[in-house]
Amino acid sequence: MMKRTFLMALACMSIFISGVSSCRKEDENNNNTENNTPMTNGKIKITVNSKTFTATLLDNNSAKAFKELLPLTINMVDLNGNEKYAELPKSLPTNPSNPGTIQNGDLMLYGSETLVLFYKTFSTSYSYTKLGKIDDAADLEPALSQGNAIVIIETK
């Protein structure tokens, strides 16, 4: 009888521990999952030469950490005729995934320190952490497609 009680207690403890463990993993994943909903007060202003764009940051840890870096004035280097990139002053939290298709106006993080602003839509096999998107990217390509650019990013 005592052996049976012990085994029952052991089985219950095992189920409890695995349940706690799976809850912890689920909570950790929920904290790290990419949230594609807009951040409250997540509007930022991006100025390229004399052209100003409004962007909306996503409600995720990466975008929140990015917003804390603002204002930024950075030299963004052209790459592949479809994006500008710049190294940030510090690493940010990441949650990379492959979007499959990059959209004109996507603002993303490559690795933990490279900010990328895309000005053309194309397919990709690379993984990025989504930060936000230019609200109206219609004039983004002409503004960014002329070589490297000094870009000012600030809260709105």
Side-chain angles (χ1 to χ4, degrees), residues 68-85:
E68 290 176 11
L69 295 177
L70 303 182
L72 284 174
T73 300
I74 51 179
N75 180 29
M76 297 195 84
V77 177
D78 196 70
L79 182 64
N80 300 323
N82 58 18
E83 66 188 78
K84 294 283 194 262
Y85 74 93

Side-chain angles (χ1 to χ4, degrees), residues 98-100 122-128:
N98 180 309
F122 63 96
S123 295
T124 186
S125 60
Y126 291 97
S127 292
Y128 301 90

